[in-house]
Amino acid sequence: MAAPEYDLIFAGGGLSALLLLRELRGELSGRVAIVDPVQPLEQAPVHWSYWSKGPTLYDRFALGVWRRARVAGKPPEPLAPYAMRLVRSTDVLAHLVESLRTAPIEWIRAEATSISRRHDGLYEVATDEGALHARWVFDSALGVSPAFPSTGQPRAALSGTGIRVVSDRSAFDPATATLFDPLDEKSFAYLLPLSPTEALLESASFGPARKTDERPLLQYLRERHPGAGFTVTHTEGCSIPLGFAPAKTSGPRHVLLGTKRGLVKPSAGYGIVRIAEESRHLARLWREGISPPPTRRPSWRWRLLDRGFLQLAAHDPRLPLALLRRVMGAVPLVQSLRFIDEDLPPRQLASVFRSAAPVVLARR
């Protein structure tokens, strides 16, 4: 039998695919398919935190909003022009699925295994349930060639455990988030208080993937809030691959999305704001009749910095934390956030480089 033919196939049905489909829902025509063995609402809930200057799609789902934060033991600092928010993944995904309820999209419960360009110009998406053909392929499937992280480039992983806790007494300042607070020499914590008695606490470490472990977080709480008792109401864990996006795909209409497009900043983890911004950009190109670029390449300056950060992580998982600790302690918090967002003017990079130099030079 001939392989089914589609106008658009999305290999992977996660956040980046749903965001782009939402942006394009008024432009969709012909046959559109999502290839993924797991539908969004079947995924286990996790929490996504993010900072942004302006409004985002996610803001309506915020469980908390923070306009000031402290780093480790420093006094609280204002975040303006940023605000930090926390959302539940299932709330966001449910909204996106509902917004696409009447769109002409076919969900194929299968796992993509390869994507190749045929002699007739179509693309063949091989799956464990058979082959599919398409004029366009939007690809967020990390393990499908070209795989992410790109081979031959530095790589690492950002591993984390998250717990929601309830305290038996007032323990938290609901107006102030805590960021980049060292847990040990290889990991740091951030605490997002939802009320005086409830908070989300997460750990993060760079280097090889680590298992979910809530014990260091509970120890952290006991040390900073002696006498208070804490009950864990939710536990989650993840490991996010860090690296460079592939430079090429199987053809000009094979377009990478999300993490695979290089929208995860190695020093910051999962960038849901950057993914939403890129979705709007790709949709705008589509509406204007301009072919979206298959992949994304940041400027040489940020590629160089990301490469150095990943090389530190590969050399010694303690070094990225030492680097962040020095940078966060030496410059204002807002300047650090602008640096992570690749929004810091070159003239202001000097102070960041000066604070980072001892860690980088110590590696040599």
Side-chain angles (χ1 to χ4, degrees):
M1 295 179 62
E5 187 173 315
Y6 295 86
D7 290 280
L8 284 74
I9 284 180
F10 286 76
L15 177 67
S16 58
L18 295 179
L19 282 170
L20 182 56
L21 281 165
R22 177 183 178 275
E23 295 290 338
L24 293 176
R25 62 185 185 272
E27 320 292 328
L28 295 176
S29 60
R31 299 186 71 188
V32 180
I34 299 174
V35 178
D36 197 309
V38 180
Q39 295 195 9
L41 300 185
E42 298 171 352
Q43 299 176 13
V46 296
H47 291 81
W48 295 334
S49 59
Y50 62 96
W51 57 77
S52 64
K53 290 182 180 178
T56 76
L57 165 72
Y58 314 115
D59 296 354
R60 73 189 73 182
F61 308 109
L63 304 174
V65 182
W66 299 271
R67 291 184 169 83
R68 67 178 186 182
R70 64 165 51 90
V71 175
K74 294 175 63 179
E77 299 178 49
L79 293 177
Y82 292 100
M84 189 166 188
R85 292 178 171 85
L86 178 72
V87 297
R88 229 183 342 247
S89 62
T90 43
D91 295 338
V92 175
L93 295 174
H95 170 75
L96 293 173
V97 168
E98 177 60 24
S99 71
L100 296 170
R101 185 170 54 84
T102 60
I105 300 171
E106 179 182 349
W107 192 285
I108 299 175
R109 285 183 176 268
E111 186 165 356
T113 55
S114 69
I115 300 169
S116 58
R117 193 180 185 192
R118 292 159 42 92
H119 62 84
D120 59 4
L122 295 177
Y123 291 84
E124 180 165 296
V125 179
T127 79
D128 53 5
E129 297 293 333
L132 309 169
H133 293 163
R135 292 185 61 249
W136 286 84
V137 177
F138 292 93
D139 174 12
S140 58
L142 300 183
V144 174
S145 182
F148 177 90
S150 183
T151 57
Q153 300 275 9
R155 63 179 66 194
L158 176 62
S159 301
T161 297
I163 56 174
R164 278 184 74 162
V165 297
V166 174
S167 172
D168 60 5
R169 66 193 67 184
S170 292
F172 309 117
D173 173 7
T176 305
T178 300
L179 309 178
F180 302 105
D181 202 0
L183 275 175
D184 54 44
E185 62 181 6
K186 293 184 180 180
S187 59
F188 61 88
Y190 56 96
L191 188 146
L192 304 177
L194 304 173
S195 76
T197 58
E198 186 178 12
L200 177 80
L201 180 61
E202 298 200 344
S203 66
S205 62
F206 298 98
R210 300 176 71 175
K211 294 181 179 180
T212 300
D213 186 359
E214 63 184 45
R215 290 172 299 176
L217 295 174
L218 290 172
Q219 180 64 27
Y220 172 95
L221 288 172
R222 286 192 288 266
E223 290 175 356
R224 282 156 180 77
H225 305 282
F230 298 95
T231 301
V232 177
T233 60
H234 171 79
T235 302
E236 61 192 50
C238 69
S239 181
I240 302 168
L242 303 174
F244 287 90
K248 296 181 180 179
T249 64
S250 61
R253 287 178 279 107
H254 176 188
V255 180
L256 305 183
L257 297 179
T259 300
K260 198 169 182 178
R261 193 172 181 82
L263 297 175
V264 170
K265 182 72 176 168
S267 58
Y270 197 61
I272 64 173
V273 173
R274 299 174 80 189
I275 291 173
E277 290 172 348
E278 186 73 357
S279 297
R280 288 192 293 271
H281 172 64
L282 295 176
R284 183 168 61 252
L285 295 178
W286 183 274
R287 286 191 290 269
E288 293 172 356
I290 303 171
S291 293
T295 188
R296 172 184 176 272
R297 288 182 66 80
S299 71
W300 67 268
R301 181 182 299 109
W302 300 110
R303 288 202 307 273
L304 181 64
L305 291 170
D306 286 343
R307 176 182 292 276
F309 189 89
L310 290 171
Q311 287 174 335
L312 286 177
H315 180 77
D316 186 339
R318 296 171 296 182
L319 292 178
L321 181 59
L323 177 63
L324 285 172
R325 186 183 296 120
R326 288 193 64 91
V327 171
M328 293 293 181
V331 302
L333 178 55
V334 169
Q335 190 171 333
S336 298
L337 299 184
R338 291 189 68 188
F339 172 72
I340 292 172
D341 273 0
E342 300 181 1
D343 186 39
L344 195 65
R347 66 181 180 276
Q348 294 185 23
L349 283 172
S351 60
V352 175
F353 286 139
R354 282 196 299 271
S355 62
V359 176
V360 177
L361 294 176
R363 173 186 176 270
R364 298 181 181 277

